[in-house]
């Protein structure tokens, strides 16, 4: 999967309530453990919403599984935080798309999940 292409398509064709900005790969380690040799693209909201896009293509299934575990912990902590301060955003996190397609892990937090799912289908065959 082309991580950059999928993330860009999600950003452009899915509706978000907040503006999302690109997260440099070297900063992704602040959020979760990024495997070596992966292709990653990420966008996050400025903080007013929990909306975000992470598309990470790993080099093998073991790395993808480890990444997914690390990302789940990140998502759980975000949810705890949002339940405290922005309860509506916790609901958005609960409905997030968080899937593994082969060696590609996709996390997309949006209210527009139908659009996001159809875009993902175009990229992961």
């Amino acid at each position: 999967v082309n991580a950059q292409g999928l993330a860009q398509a999600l950003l452009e064709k899915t509706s978000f309530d907040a503006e999302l900005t690109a997260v440099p790969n070297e900063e992704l380690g602040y959020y979760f453990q990024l495997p070596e040799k992966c292709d990653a693209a990420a966008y996050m909201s400025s903080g007013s919403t929990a909306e975000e896009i992470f598309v990470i293509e790993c080099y093998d299934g073991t790395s993808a599984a480890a990444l997914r575990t690390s990302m789940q912990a990140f998502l759980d902590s975000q949810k705890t935080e949002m339940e405290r301060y922005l309860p509506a955003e916790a609901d958005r996190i609960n409905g997030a798309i968080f899937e593994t397609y082969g060696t590609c892990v996709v996390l997309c937090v949006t209210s527009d999940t139908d659009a996001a799912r159809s875009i993902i289908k175009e990229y992961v065959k």
Side-chain angles (χ1 to χ4, degrees), residues 22-36:
V23 178
N25 284 0
E26 59 272 10
E27 290 180 18
L28 290 178
Y30 295 134
Y31 304 108
F32 42 79
Q33 208 168 347
L34 205 59
E36 288 180 36

Side-chain angles (χ1 to χ4, degrees), residues 8 14 19 38 53 57 64-65 90 99 107-108 110-111 118:
Q8 189 70 38
T14 307
E19 187 179 341
C38 67
I53 299 167
E57 176 63 53
E99 305 285 344
L107 171 59
C108 184
T110 177
S111 297
S118 69

Side-chain angles (χ1 to χ4, degrees), residues 2-11 16 19-32 34 38-45 51-57 67 71 74 105-109:
N2 174 343
Q4 303 293 332
L6 175 50
Q8 189 70 38
L10 285 168
L11 181 69
F16 294 96
E19 187 179 341
L20 302 191
T21 52
V23 178
N25 284 0
E26 59 272 10
E27 290 180 18
L28 290 178
Y30 295 134
Y31 304 108
F32 42 79
L34 205 59
C38 67
D39 180 22
Y43 296 91
M44 294 180 86
S45 104
E51 294 169 309
E52 58 202 7
I53 299 167
F54 291 102
V55 180
I56 302 161
E57 176 63 53
L67 172 64
M71 286 177 82
F74 163 70
V105 181
V106 177
L107 171 59
C108 184
V109 180

Side-chain angles (χ1 to χ4, degrees), residues 54-66:
F54 291 102
V55 180
I56 302 161
E57 176 63 53
C58 302
Y59 68 97
D60 65 17
T62 306
S63 298

